[in-house]
Each structure stands twice: as structure tokens, then as C-alpha cells.
Amino acid sequence: PNPNPNPNPSIHETDAIWKSGLFASIDELIGWIQPTSPSLVKRRAVFEWVELLVHQALGAKLLAVGSFPQRTYLPESDLDVSAMLLSGQEDSWFVKVNEALCLASLRPVMNPILREMKASTMDAEELAAIPPYFVVRNFSFINGRVKIVKASINDIAVDVSANQAPALYAVILLDTADKFFGQDHLFKRSLLLVKTWAKHESSALSSGWGAVLNSSSGGLSTAALNILVLSLFNRFSDQITHPFHALCLFLMELSTIEFETTVLTMYGPMPISSATEGKATALAAEQQQLNNQQQPIKSLPYSFILDLSTRVSGIMHALGAKEGETSNTSSFPSSAEPSPSSSSTSSTTGRSTTSSSFFQYYKVGHVNVIDPLHAGNNLAAAVNTGGLGVLRHSSARGLAHIAEIIKELATISAGVHVRISTLHKNGFVHDDNHEMEFDQINQQNKEDEEEDDEGVL
């Protein structure tokens, strides 16, 4: 017990009350949307079956990429996997995988590892989630820059690609960031909250024009959103102690930034000219280091990013040389800060493999988010004119909506503060005037909630 209790609680103490209530509600929301044990069991079963199917068709190893291995996927998210091909399979792997899925779609396929999974140490809920059969539907092939075989397996959308080293190293990057910033997976919990807003809440705020997170319809890709959130942590980690802070900073950034002249990196915004020169991430990291000298902020060391990007570059150059073509390697530029050893010429292709030769492939778009692992890749290249409008409009409205909620909660807290102060002042004597004032505040807030048709996190 406090030996000297404060007889008149300050406004800061009542602020703490509504903030803790808000944060508790958001934590509850994140608890609902984060992956559950049964969900992980279902997706792991689908992954292991696809892994077996790909191995039988190609003899290749299948690896999980994207949000599944990071445990940051939403309930409706795709399951992204990438096959590590054997030599000579680059031009035919998708045909064989598509044929295998076609045959599997003829009838439900019994789970070949059902007995093994049930023999593992799982609780009753997890055991019940193990699928006895696999049902394949809606398979298709996307003949894009990155070839993808798509299918719905047990109502989980699965995307199969090949030789996606950048995606594998992106998992390493985000997992490392989560461990680096700590605080009970604050980074990943923030990703889940921002993804939820960008996928669901933003569509309600865009007047029916779509969601911010929807690359297939001109919105942001998940990879771009990941880097945007990582950028916030690298610059404002001292201000982010809860996912709600990350969401507010995300909305502030998107609603105020000049996309026409700015490129976004994992260390902050830079002039768009730095992207076409392949120096955006390196220059932003240098600027961040200068800022840290004045006000130290915890951020991922650029040396770590440079090491990852160099590894990715080396792998993709090796794959390009093995395939004997430039079309694949051109999409995977080397690191943002090229090393002298990268200035060699490929004897297979007869074209230069210097870092500068890949920067010309950078696609300046309506929104520009630099991939830190290969500087010529715009992670937001899918954003079109409509998607940019949705992004700006939804983020501005979302920020205003949050401001209204905070103002409302602060008003309630102020009413509580007045009521408590009066009770203490009058020796806990009943005060009808102040109680009526507080009741009126509560009644007005209830009426406002009933009139508000928009979704609120």
C-alpha cells in the first residue's frame, strides 16, 4: 500500500487509465488475429504435403517464405513457398508442378504423414486440426517476372515460386529485426496490427475504393509494408513501446509524405534520384548514423543489411550464370553499396554483372519502397494511380479517426478526474452536479458510437 496516497489524482494518472484500457483492447485484437496453434498445424500440414509433391515432381527442396515462417500472417493470408531447383529445371519446373496439382485435384488425397503427425506431442486441439485429406482446387499459373503456380489446398491459398533467394533472406531480415527490437515481439505484433488496418480497416475508410494492402488491385505488397514498418522502428524505436504507436506513425508517414519526389527505405525517406542510382538505402543509413550521434536510437546496423544483400546478390548472380540468361538476374540487383569484386563480366551471358548495370532496371512508380536486399527492386511497383489515392485518403482518414478516439477517451478521463477530485474535496460527499456532468459525457459518447458506421480498431 502507498503510505502517502495522492488525495487528488493528476490528469496524467487518469490519462494512464484510458491508455492502459486502449492498449489492452488492442492487445486483445492482436490476440484474436495472430496465428493460433491449430492454424499453424493446418498450414504446416499443407506445406509438408506440397513439399512432398514438389519433391516427387522435381526432386527439389521446398522452403517456406513470406509471413508463414515469420508467424505474421493474417487468417486469410497466402502460404508462400519457393522450390530450390536442380540445374536445368528453370524453364520447365512450373509445368511439372502444375501437372502434379492437376492430378491431385481429381480426388481428395489422403494425408500421407497423418500417422506421423498424430504421433507427435500435440494437444487435443492441435490433433483435431490435422487434415486427414488434401483437396486441391483453383490451380493456375502466373507467367510474370517471377513465375508462380497458384492453388487452393484445403481452402488455403498456396503460391509456389522457384529460386527466390531474396524472399528467403527477407525472412532472416525480419526475424532478426524482431529479436533486435525485442519487447516481447513488439515488431511482429506491430506488423500484425498494421497489416490488419491496411487490409480491413482501410477499405472501410476508402469509400469502397479498396484496401491499402492489396498488390493484386494496385495497393501495397506485404513486402513493402514490412519495410515501411521496419523503417519506423529504425527511426523511432525510442517512441514505439506498443503496436498502437507503430500504427499511428505508419498513418502519419503515409498521409504526409510526398510520394512523387521521395523513395522510402528501411532507414527513412530519401530523394527519388538516389533510388535510380542504387544508393538510397546506403545514404539513408548514413544519415541515420549521423542522427544517432546527436540522439542515439536503436536501429539495425547497416553492416548487417549489407552482408545479407551481398549474399543475395552472389546467389542470384550464380543462378543467372547457371541459367545462361540475363532476364532472371536483371531483376535482382546487387547490394546498395557495391564491392570491387562485383565488377566482373559474366562469361556466360557476355554482359556486365556490375552493380551499376542492374540499377537501370529500377522501376520508378507511384510509390517507391526500396528492397534493402536488392536495390533495383521497387517493392511498391504494383501501386497504381487508384492505389495511391486509396493509400493517401485512407491513411489521412484513419489518422483523423484515431485522433477522435483519443480525444473521446481523454474527455471521459477528464470527466472521471473532475468527479474524483470533487469527491475528495468534499470528503466523499455525493455531488449531483458533477455526477450529472459525467453521466452526460458518457451518454453523449454512447450516442456518438451508435451514429458512427465506420469500423474502429
Side-chain angles (χ1 to χ4, degrees), residues 29 74 76 192-215 217-220 225 247 250-251 254 386-399 401-402 454-457:
L29 170 63
L74 299 181
E76 71 279 9
L192 282 169
L193 181 63
V194 174
K195 279 185 180 181
T196 301
W197 180 89
K199 185 71 174 179
H200 299 289
E201 184 77 3
S202 65
S203 61
L205 298 173
S206 68
S207 304
W209 287 99
V212 167
L213 183 62
N214 189 356
S215 59
S217 298
L220 284 176
L225 184 143
L247 175 61
F250 178 82
L251 297 178
L254 293 189
L388 177 58
V390 168
L391 190 151
R392 281 175 163 161
H393 183 71
S394 297
S395 57
R397 288 194 66 189
L399 193 61
H401 209 167
I402 287 177
E454 297 176 344
V456 181
L457 284 174

Side-chain angles (χ1 to χ4, degrees), residues 28-40:
E28 184 179 5
L29 170 63
I30 294 173
W32 278 104
I33 61 178
Q34 70 185 6
T36 62
S37 294
S39 168
L40 289 169

